[in-house]
């Protein structure tokens, strides 16, 4: 047996909750024992459109949290933005609908062995996995501060119960409709030194991740980011989801963000080369 | 259950079932092993490997299209040496049957690859990908030029000797696929793989530019199945004794059966595994059930059945 | 609403909107007139007409495929004389703009058809279908042979004189569509229609025989759109000044916009009308809204926009 | 304006009933005033599979009956056999679902101007339009007898209320599970002379229609049959649905069964040439 996808299973699972939170759908799925294998950072790949769909590929969503509930057993929560046809289909599924999913997939956020100061930065629905991560970090004694940003208030996902695990939460919106007007990356440099941040965990648009990598470049801060590339398979067999990553010998590898990610070390990702031709042949 | 003899052969290579992975749609096999034992399917056809390591094309490398997808990978891979060192031994350990797909930029590169494979134990066959539409210059697609196709196969045949069967993989993007097929068979191919992806493009209407990093990409999935069935039917009609590995949009036992009736001796499943990692073993079971239901005692009797005229059909 | 200039031209022919029917997918127009006034769309491209009446191929003539369909009509039609007598006057009465599609079995037949059309008033352009894959012998498809394609267009050009624009309709089933396109433009085509259907086949797994009466058929619908966009893009890149009538799987304003960005001056809608008789006027409105949304003041500015490099894009 | 499709309209309509009757689904659709334009023999073309469906063509179904109901206004009833993916999708639509349809399409059964003896012959779901037809014929004073056949009992569609308009109804099943064991065509020759049948109206599998045409060939009986060919468009624009029909000058035309049919004169259809190459060029 290979180590790749070693926790993954395919199963037909029932949607047990679907409610609108801001501009997102909070979707709860009953997945049984699978929850025990899910770690913050992992994602799920879901079939969309039903039996006679012209959409042939799965859609990837970060696992926001997992829980054990009395009525539904193990549950997995997703925060889904109705973007195109596939995600809209998922958002339109009623409670009781059965979906076909593969999970957990991909790498998870690395958890520090020491109780250090960490900063969680989420953009849009990127905040989804951060609350589950915050819980884990808190149980390990880390001090957890959080920044969330989006273009507008409706795209901020910050559930009440999630806030319990964080020391502070600051919200930024570009249009100023919620929290501070500005970008979530604005205060990072200052916070790094003020709080003495050891690790930044980030999840959100690629531009945000790349900006954080630039900010942490000349610092000692470790930047663990969950990337998002177009994915055809989610399990490592198609090579569509690659990102240029610098190896220790300075050569470049095109790593699959579905199995070598989505969580990657932000310092290794060659952000400038994403979507470009990595001319250099190793 | 009736015991259908499900085995198939490509020249001297024997496979217990006719369902294979499609090159480039199963990486080197490790990624799928979590979902089913690789030895349970007919063979693993590995991602086309080149002589040197290659980074491939810029992203985005995929676009979903109606009942299909475009890909533009650009043959990313570790190079043959690393591949032989890391992937082949692992596959052998899994007791998988292995078909190695090779790709080159020159006739020499193909021969070089064949030379490196000649001595390797545990390989059932070589698939020669002369048809990848993702190389930099479309003019250089070997499979679109009868002469270049022949030369590649001739070179590989001479290098590899007579032991390992050669399956030449053709592109559907040609005016006359039968003549290309004849050429490579004359040059020494033991079998044919039909079809590779169809050249396509999607324009992103937000950016108003070609969506893929590589601009054009290869169309695969159920959308192209009628094109694949036609190609298999045409080639089988012209050369009924040359075994064909059929592929292009197979997603169910019914689809695999369609290709076998058209003339395929084996069926590769590519894109369907992206949507369903269990696709191959599921299709395999569905096909077996269909053959039994139709009263076939052995798979071999169904190959090319659609060509029989109603007169000869009892 | 912003007033987008929605008009387009093919040589000296002017059309108020770029949305046309596709040949063979609107019969002669009468059947759609119940659903929308024919004068509201750019033009009616009539079903390819031959010199003599023709019964066409046996049924079944269709098979639905994933996001597409196969057809095998075999150019059934009443012959040019009956067509000119019955259909053209009716279309003129409707104030529809008319593009007559012609098809022949010999170079002479095309010239004969052109001669009969020369004197007919009210025709905006002639589409020369040299690419129908449904004729009896695939070897005889003009559009797959550069020399035969040129000869047909040359003959039509000489016969018709310089008044009526000629649009040559090409098949995607060729190794190099750009060279075919160059050939027919050199021979006098004013524009190009891209693409005709892709040759395909479906096998009926119940009867275990080819499903269509004609065995093979032409694949159309959204499944082939990426192939069409690629063909339009390639040809427009090679000959930016030759107007292209794009088609193949257009079913929404977004799809039509994609073709225009790739280089089409007009867009024909075929198969989509089968699923939705109101498809063309609906696509037309969607496209107009999209152009306005993207800030285009005139359709012409969007034609081939995907070819601009980001540098030249302000 | 052309005369073709002159009564047809496209509309989004609500399914107001869907119940299983034997092996068929009896589907009731609220279509408003459209019912006034529907005649026995006409059919409806329905979009299947929803917005992201890979099924791009409409499915054709005979309009079984139309009615005015207090709660739903004008309604149209269909009898649908769950055959392939499209018809199964339709059968799975719940009450309240909205479907896109085009109707009424095609030719209608011709109604005799005199009150004559008629025989209605239905095979499988082919009986669906015959009950509506029987009502019309009865109001015109015709004497209506009916034969229904199918392979097995579950495929006989013979609603209680439908039987009111017919003088006699005989059922045939090939496996003998209902009515008389045998084929629906078995008694026709005898009935023609016993009852002095002037017109046979038939709807069912092509083999049945062709057999009836053979039985009526050397008689004076008019045979109006509703044919069924694979249709891509249903409105006359694709030429896929053609049947070889003999013209008065003995030449052959390939007529579109969607606009020149589905109701055709059985004596004109060249049954032997259906699905063959009508070699003769007129
Ligand atoms: C690891 C990972 C985690 C994600 N987590 C979430 C999440 O928690 N919540 C959420 O709302 N969305 C998330 N996304 C994005 C989500 O996958 C896309 O919004 C979704 O695939 C869009 O599908 P569509 O059919 O709606 O859009 P379309 O644009 O119609 O999709 C067309 C194709 O492009 C792919 N695609 C389009 N956008 C993206 C994208 N942003 N990322 C990857 N593939 C894309 C689709 O998978 C599909 O194959 C995540 C993506 C990845 C890769
Ligand atoms: C005028 C007319 C009236 C009909 N009335 C009825 C009716 O009252 N009740 C009923 O159950 N069925 C009726 N049918 C048959 C019905 O249209 C088919 O069963 C249905 O189209 C099958 O679609 P599918 O997706 O389930 O099957 P599939 O086999 O998956 O369909 C594939 C394609 O073939 C076409 N097709 C398949 N079978 C037929 C067929 N028998 N006739 C025409 N096209 C076909 C479909 O439209 C579709 O495009 C009628 C057909 C016609 C032409
Ligand atoms: C992502 C992707 C990568 C592919 N890479 C290769 C390749 O390396 N070599 C090759 O011969 N074919 C390659 N193919 C083509 C497939 O092997 C197959 O011929 C084609 O996709 C049609 O089959 P399908 O529709 O089942 O995918 C690739 C296809 C896809 C979708
Ligand atoms: C049923 C049918 C009949 C067609 N007949 C013709 C024809 O007579 N002449 C022609 O040039 N193209 C013919 N075509 C091809 C279409 O004009 C068009 O090029 C092709 O279908 C792709 O467009 P679409 O996907 O929008 O249908 C036909 C297509 C279909 C589906
Ligand atoms: S999505 Fe297929 S390899 Fe990552
Ligand atoms: S179904 Fe299209 S012409 Fe009859």
């Amino acid at each position: 047996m290979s180590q790749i996808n070693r926790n993954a299973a395919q199963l037909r699972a029932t949607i047990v909750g679907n409610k609108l939170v801001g501009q997102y759908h909070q979707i709860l799925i009953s997945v049984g024992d699978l929850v025990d294998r899910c770690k913050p950072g992992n994602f799920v790949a879901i079939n969309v459109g039903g039996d006679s769909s012209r959409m042939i590929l799965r859609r990837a969503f970060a696992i926001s949290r997992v829980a054990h509930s009395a009525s539904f057993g193990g549950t997995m929560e997703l925060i889904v933005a109705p973007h195109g046809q596939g995600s809209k289909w998922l958002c339109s599924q009623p409670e009781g609908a059965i979906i076909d999913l593969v999970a957990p997939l991909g790498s998870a956020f690395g958890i520090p062995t020491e109780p250090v100061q960490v900063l969680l930065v989420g953009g849009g629905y990127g905040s989804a996995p951060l609350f589950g991560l915050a819980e884990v970090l808190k149980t390990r004694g880390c001090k957890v501060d959080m920044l969330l940003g989006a273009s507008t208030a409706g795209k901020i996902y910050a559930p009440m119960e999630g806030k319990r695990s964080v020391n502070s939460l600051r919200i930024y919106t570009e249009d100023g409709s919620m929290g501070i007007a500005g970008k979530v990356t604005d205060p990072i440099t200052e916070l790094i030194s003020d709080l003495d941040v050891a690790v930044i965990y980030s999840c959100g648009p690629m531009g945000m991740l790349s900006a954080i990598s630039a900010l942490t470049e000349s610092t000692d801060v470790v930047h663990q980011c969950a990337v998002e590339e177009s994915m055809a398979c989610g399990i490592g067999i198609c090579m569509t989801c690659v990102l240029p990553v610098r190896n220790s010998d300075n050569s470049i590898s095109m790593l699959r963000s579905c199995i070598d990610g989505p969580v990657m070390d932000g310092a290794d990702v060659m952000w400038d080369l994403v979507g470009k031709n990595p001319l250099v042949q190793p | 259950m009736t015991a259908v003899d499900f085995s198939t052969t490509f020249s001297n290579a024997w496979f217990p079932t006719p369902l294979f992975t499609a090159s480039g749609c199963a990486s080197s096999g490790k990624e799928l092993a979590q979902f089913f034992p690789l030895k349970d399917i007919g063979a693993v056809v590995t991602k086309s490997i080149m002589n040197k390591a290659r980074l491939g094309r810029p992203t985005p490398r995929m676009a979903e299209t109606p009942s299909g997808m475009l890909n533009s990978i650009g043959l990313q891979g570790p190079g043959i040496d690393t591949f032989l060192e890391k992937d082949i031994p692992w596959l052998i350990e899994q007791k998988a049957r292995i078909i190695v797909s090779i790709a080159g930029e020159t006739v020499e590169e193909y021969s070089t690859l064949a030379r490196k494979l000649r001595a390797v134990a545990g390989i059932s066959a070589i698939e020669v990908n002369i048809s990848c539409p993702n190389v930099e210059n479309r003019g250089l697609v070997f499979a679109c030029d009868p002469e270049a196709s022949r030369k590649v196969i001739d070179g590989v045949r001479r290098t590899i000797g007579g032991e390992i069967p050669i399956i030449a993989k053709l592109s559907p993007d040609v005016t006359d696929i039968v003549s290309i097929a004849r050429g490579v068979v004359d040059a020494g191919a033991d079998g044919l793989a039909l079809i590779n992806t169809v050249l396509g493009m999607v324009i992103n209407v937000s950016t108003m530019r070609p969506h893929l990093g590589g601009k054009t990409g290869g169309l695969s999935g159920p959308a192209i199945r009628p094109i694949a069935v036609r190609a298999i039917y045409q080639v089988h009609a012209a050369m009924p004794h040359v075994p064909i590995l059929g592929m292009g949009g197979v997603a169910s036992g019914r689809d695999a059966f369609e290709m076998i009736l058209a003339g395929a001796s084996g069926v590769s499943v590519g894109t369907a595994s992206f949507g369903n990692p269990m696709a191959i073993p599921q299709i395999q079971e569905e096909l077996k059930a269909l053959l039994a239901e139709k009263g076939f005692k052995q798979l071999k009797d169904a190959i090319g059945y659609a060509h029989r005229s109603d007169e000869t059909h009892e």
Side-chain angles (χ1 to χ4, degrees), chain A, chain B:
Chain A
M1 263 306 133
S2 144
Q3 289 299 292
I4 306 170
N5 299 317
R6 68 178 178 284
N7 289 319
Q10 178 178 18
L11 84 165
R12 290 169 61 78
T14 306
I15 293 185
V16 294
N18 180 346
K19 69 170 187 240
L20 204 62
V21 178
Q23 295 182 19
Y24 304 122
H25 282 254
Q26 184 183 47
I27 293 176
L28 200 67
I29 310 166
S30 163
V31 297
D33 293 343
L34 203 72
V35 294
D36 301 329
R37 296 190 241 157
C38 300
K39 297 212 178 76
N42 290 160
F43 69 97
V44 55
I46 300 181
N47 259 2
V48 290
D51 282 346
S52 59
S53 175
R54 67 176 177 216
M55 294 182 281
I56 59 164
L57 303 173
R58 286 175 188 265
R59 301 303 192 255
F61 300 96
I63 298 170
S64 169
R65 311 187 292 174
V66 291
H68 284 277
S69 103
S71 16
F72 307 123
T75 59
M76 172 189 283
E77 182 191 273
L78 314 178
I79 304 304
V80 179
H83 169 75
Q85 211 157 23
S87 50
K88 281 180 187 151
W89 178 89
L90 182 60
C91 290
S92 75
Q93 293 306 294
E95 286 173 22
I98 289 170
I99 55 171
D100 177 320
L101 58 82
V102 179
L105 293 170
S107 57
F109 288 110
I111 306 298
T113 42
E114 318 260 290
V116 293
Q117 167 72 49
V118 302
L119 181 65
L120 275 48
V121 187
Y125 55 74
S127 61
L130 298 184
F131 292 100
L133 173 65
E135 281 172 38
V136 175
L137 290 167
K138 208 184 156 198
T139 59
R140 299 289 177 93
C142 293
K143 188 154 151 279
V144 184
D145 290 86
M146 192 184 264
L147 304 174
L148 299 185
S151 55
T152 187
K155 293 191 173 165
I156 292 288
Y157 174 70
M160 272 303 157
E161 61 298 359
K163 294 172 196 163
R164 282 189 306 234
S165 314
V166 300
N167 180 51
S168 80
L169 168 64
R170 267 198 260 169
I171 288 171
Y172 291 78
T173 55
E174 282 168 43
D175 67 359
S177 55
M178 185 189 257
I180 304 157
K183 286 194 168 171
V184 72
T185 44
D186 294 346
I188 291 184
T189 304
E190 217 182 300
L191 282 176
I192 288 177
S193 55
D194 286 5
L195 299 174
D196 194 18
V197 171
V199 188
I200 294 183
Y201 296 91
S202 68
C203 184
M206 294 291 269
M208 182 191 98
L209 309 185
S210 148
I212 299 175
S213 285
L215 296 175
T216 52
E217 197 172 356
S218 50
T219 69
D220 287 339
V221 179
V222 173
H223 176 210
Q224 293 211 20
C225 56
V227 300
E228 195 181 299
E229 255 298 343
S230 281
M231 291 184 174
C233 77
I235 56 171
I237 59 177
C238 76
M239 309 297 281
T240 60
C241 63
V242 298
L243 281 180
V245 170
R246 193 193 316 275
N247 302 318
S248 48
D249 64 356
N250 256 331
S251 66
I252 303 174
S253 287
M254 295 296 271
L255 294 190
R256 284 164 281 185
S257 59
C258 64
I259 56 170
D260 297 314
V263 179
M264 290 183 163
D265 187 331
D268 295 341
V269 177
M270 305 184 71
W271 300 100
D272 293 349
L273 290 181
V274 173
K276 300 229 175 70
N277 209 326
L279 291 163
V280 208
Q281 301 280 334
Chain B
M1 280 298 286
T2 358
V4 178
D5 174 358
F6 211 34
S7 68
T8 194
T9 53
F10 280 79
S11 179
N12 65 17
W14 180 93
F15 304 91
T17 97
L19 266 302
F20 301 0
T21 65
S23 177
C25 302
S27 203
S28 64
K30 289 198 178 89
E31 298 78 2
L32 281 175
Q34 166 73 9
F35 299 97
F36 58 88
L38 298 178
K39 68 172 169 28
D40 286 2
I41 65 171
V44 173
V45 182
T46 57
K47 166 104 190 130
S48 296
I49 194 82
M50 301 186 74
N51 194 32
K52 297 241 173 73
R54 223 177 129 95
L55 292 177
R57 290 239 177 132
T59 53
R61 288 181 171 184
M62 60 139 307
E64 200 184 40
T65 68
S67 298
M69 67 171 281
L70 288 181
N71 86 81
S72 156
I73 311 297
L75 293 172
Q76 176 179 344
I80 184 90
D81 299 330
T82 308
F83 169 78
L84 289 178
E85 188 190 317
K86 293 200 178 154
D87 295 327
I88 294 294
W90 185 86
L91 284 167
I92 291 174
E93 211 174 276
Q94 305 300 307
K95 301 197 169 54
R97 282 148 300 276
I98 308 166
I99 298 179
V100 175
S101 170
I102 59 172
E105 286 180 315
T106 60
V107 173
E108 268 81 59
E109 185 171 353
Y110 282 100
S111 299
T112 306
L113 289 160
R115 195 170 321 113
K116 291 186 177 175
L117 285 169
R118 194 170 44 188
V120 181
I123 295 174
S124 296
I126 294 180
E127 190 176 270
V128 187
N129 173 11
I130 53 169
S131 53
C132 186
N134 280 338
V135 292
E136 288 299 322
N137 181 344
R138 188 163 195 261
L140 292 182
V141 174
F142 292 93
C144 292
D145 176 359
E147 201 37 44
S149 302
R150 293 177 61 111
K151 276 194 186 144
V152 168
I153 299 302
D154 184 64
V156 172
R157 178 82 286 165
R158 283 171 202 273
T159 318
I160 208 86
E163 282 301 291
I164 306 182
I166 298 174
I167 300 171
K169 183 159 176 181
L170 306 188
S171 165
D173 295 328
V174 295
T175 309
D176 182 4
I177 198 162
V178 171
S179 72
I180 307 270
R182 273 194 215 285
V184 297
V185 168
D186 286 350
D190 301 286
L192 299 164
L194 303 171
I195 58 174
N196 213 312
T197 54
V198 182
L199 196 67
M201 179 186 272
V202 161
I203 290 171
N204 182 325
V205 293
S206 302
T207 64
M208 302 196 284
R209 295 290 180 284
H211 180 78
L212 297 175
K215 289 190 180 176
T216 58
L219 185 63
S220 64
I224 67 165
R225 198 169 60 232
I227 304 173
V229 171
R230 180 264 297 173
I232 294 164
Y233 189 92
Q234 286 179 327
V235 172
H236 186 77
M239 291 179 287
H241 300 298
V242 178
I244 294 172
L245 180 56
M247 70 195 78
V250 172
S252 71
R254 183 225 152 270
D255 303 342
F257 190 43
E258 193 184 356
M259 294 215 164
I260 286 165
L261 294 170
S265 293
V267 175
S268 273
V269 175
T271 306
S273 293
F274 301 169
N276 177 8
M278 290 288 288
I280 303 178
Q282 281 169 11
I283 292 168
Q284 191 162 281
E285 288 314 303
E286 288 167 13
L287 175 63
K288 206 184 251 175
L290 261 175
L291 286 168
E293 185 190 314
K294 288 284 176 185
F296 287 104
K297 299 228 163 34
Q298 41 180 9
L299 170 78
K300 289 200 173 70
D301 298 337
I303 298 169
Y305 197 90
H307 293 262
R308 305 205 190 167
S309 66
D310 284 8
E311 285 68 57
T312 67
H313 172 47
E314 19 68 281

